[in-house]
Amino acid sequence: MNKGKVDVLLGLQWGDEGKGKVVDVLTPDYDVVARFQGGPNAGHTLEFDGQKYVLRSIPSGIFQGGKVNIIGNGVVLAPDLFMNEAKELEKSGHPLKDRLLISKKAHLIMPTHRLLDAAQEALKGKNKVGTTGKGIGPTYTDKVSRNGLRVGDILEDFEEKYQAHKARHEQMLKALNYTGYDLAETEQKWMEGIDYLRQFSLVDSEHEVNRLIYEGKSILCEGAQGTMLDVDFGSYPYVTSSNTVCAGACIGLGIAPNKIGNVYGIMKAYCTRVGSGPFPTELFDETGDRIRNIGHEYGAVTGRERRCGWIDLVALRYAIMVNGVTQLIMMKSDVLDGFDTIKACVAYQQGGKKIDFFPYDIEENIEPVYEMLPGWQVDMTQMTCEDEFPEAFKNYISFLEEHLETPIKIVSIGPDRSQTIVRN
Ligand code: GDP
Ligand code: IMO
Ligand code: MG
């Protein structure tokens, strides 16, 4: 890490790359961990000491004591889900109140936002995005259209503001022909969540973050989702509603662009996607099933099957470019242990032409062009340093580094905190 600079860690694919695990592993090197976008659509899994945790809105730096954790202004927060998550953590011996700051400018996900999410998906029919149903899109829409309700609003005349927003949403639901819902129970839990939220430090986090930078504290920004789900640069319209790219950390925390230091780009040794939308290297055969089974590729939040495929270097080069990635972290390498051949997509074939850049539209007639590499029939999960890696895996790393023109600094060989190899 560089003094006076803020490092950013983010996903380069369609999410679920393993960001939670790596943030937890890197946290000892930092004083502060901050989330800058997304909300409970995220599911960040961490494993250590035989325990498994899934975080949705709370930063993954929470388990390494003595660190400041921040939920930035760019995040959307559902008070009821936040309360469940925080109480579970407190129950398991990880108190939060003294180490978590929440931005007053973060927007609140209301129960009616979740209904609007469902209504809009229903309206799209077979073209639905396959959202997580957490109200992400409608909440960010309200924010951008200047209709949002923010965390800071709960400090004064909240009931009145809430009712006005709810009434507006109910009109929208009626216009969408979405009726017959019962809000009573969710609304009660949600209001409990609001009371619970009031027990936390609600702050102007941009001031806090910049003060910490000024004091020389080291900060790690934790991305949610992945670059291919970015609302501007992802596979639009099959994306989330926030900027998941590095620049999102500036907007979502109030950090000036010239303060960005290292950018850690996280990718799996293969590729997955959950929800609808194009995925050029998707496998529909038994190899895809095999990756799903070995990698336990089921959504951490929704339990949905993740679609699986080979690594896509065209999309990764694009992601590295728009994020300014300085170093790569490769996750789930162990999942490929035992495959005879590994494929890597090095270019696309589109309309009879070979292209090596990420085009405007990847929905229509894209065919991946693969290079084949020999696999390694070795269990890597217990390895402790890179010298132990089989030759074929070392070759795979070199091949990727060459094609991506970026060093792979960390390799993950299992879900546990300890199954992480830092390369020299
Ligand atoms: P995130 O959203 O980017 O934090 O990733 P998720 O938690 O949604 O999904 C990653 C999944 O892979 C989790 O179940 C992790 O426990 C698991 N995982 C992370 N790294 C590794 C690894 O190197 N090998 C294996 N086998 N599993 C891993
Ligand atoms: P983490 O942080 C994987 C996907 C959804 C859907 C699209 C839009 O765990 O990597 P949304 O609910 O955001 O409006 O859904 O984005 N999606 C994710 N996929 N990992 C995530 O988060 C995701 N968050 C959203 O499946 O296709
Ligand atoms: Mg996830």
Side-chain angles (χ1 to χ4, degrees), residues 235-304:
S235 48
Y236 193 87
Y238 299 98
V239 293
T240 190
S241 298
S242 64
N243 282 116
T244 61
V245 294
C246 183
C250 296
I251 299 294
L253 286 163
I255 294 169
N258 64 356
K259 297 274 181 356
I260 301 295
N262 292 319
V263 181
Y264 303 107
I266 307 218
M267 62 192 193
K268 286 180 184 169
Y270 48 95
C271 193
T272 64
R273 163 160 215 178
V274 57
S276 331
F279 179 4
T281 60
E282 182 168 9
L283 291 164
F284 299 96
D285 57 7
E286 57 199 29
T287 307
D289 294 340
R290 191 170 161 202
I291 294 177
R292 183 176 311 107
N293 289 333
I294 301 173
H296 303 291
E297 294 295 359
Y298 296 90
V301 172
T302 55
R304 287 181 293 177

Side-chain angles (χ1 to χ4, degrees), residues 301-358:
V301 172
T302 55
R304 287 181 293 177
E305 252 187 25
R306 292 180 186 146
R307 301 153 62 192
C308 298
W310 295 117
I311 200 163
D312 181 342
L313 302 181
V314 182
L316 280 171
R317 279 196 296 266
Y318 179 73
I320 289 167
M321 175 183 79
V322 296
N323 289 302
V325 170
T326 57
Q327 45 201 296
L328 292 164
I329 299 179
M330 182 158 77
M331 310 302 291
K332 304 195 95 160
S333 315
D334 55 298
V335 174
L336 298 183
D337 293 356
F339 281 72
D340 290 332
T341 306
I342 312 279
K343 290 190 191 179
C345 165
V346 292
Y348 296 149
Q349 191 82 31
Q350 190 179 37
K353 262 194 8 217
K354 190 169 155 185
I355 56 169
D356 62 2
F357 60 88
F358 195 75

Side-chain angles (χ1 to χ4, degrees), residues 48-195:
F48 56 90
D49 300 340
Q51 295 289 322
K52 178 171 163 171
Y53 302 89
V54 180
L55 297 176
R56 298 164 73 170
S57 300
I58 293 168
S60 302
I62 213 79
F63 297 103
Q64 309 262 18
K67 310 293 176 177
V68 178
N69 287 266
I70 300 177
I71 294 181
N73 57 279
V75 172
V76 288
L77 197 65
D80 47 352
L81 302 182
F82 169 77
M83 175 175 66
N84 292 347
E85 187 178 337
K87 283 190 169 168
E88 278 296 311
L89 285 174
E90 285 180 335
K91 240 197 296 177
S92 63
H94 300 96
L96 301 175
K97 292 199 182 104
D98 59 340
R99 59 180 84 158
L100 181 65
L101 307 177
I102 303 174
S103 170
K104 286 197 275 191
K105 295 190 176 74
H107 279 245
L108 291 171
I109 303 178
M110 295 172 55
T112 38
H113 282 129
R114 298 197 281 249
L115 295 177
L116 284 164
D117 195 350
Q120 286 166 2
E121 282 284 87
L123 199 69
K124 288 191 167 164
K126 70 172 181 35
N127 295 324
K128 71 175 186 195
V129 176
T131 71
T132 57
K134 301 291 178 256
I136 304 295
T139 306
Y140 278 115
T141 303
D142 270 356
K143 170 178 175 171
V144 174
S145 66
R146 297 154 295 183
N147 285 308
L149 198 54
R150 301 189 290 179
V151 167
D153 286 320
I154 72 175
L155 301 173
E156 219 176 314
D157 303 329
F158 182 63
E159 183 64 25
E160 208 178 300
K161 292 178 207 160
Y162 173 79
Q163 291 302 339
H165 284 80
K166 180 182 158 189
R168 187 171 51 80
H169 289 162
E170 288 196 300
Q171 274 178 4
M172 291 162 74
L173 287 164
K174 206 161 140 199
L176 290 168
N177 241 334
Y178 197 84
T179 50
Y181 52 83
D182 182 6
L183 268 181
E185 202 180 317
T186 1
E187 211 170 23
Q188 195 200 330
K189 270 266 161 230
W190 195 85
M191 286 297 176
E192 265 177 52
I194 291 289
D195 283 336

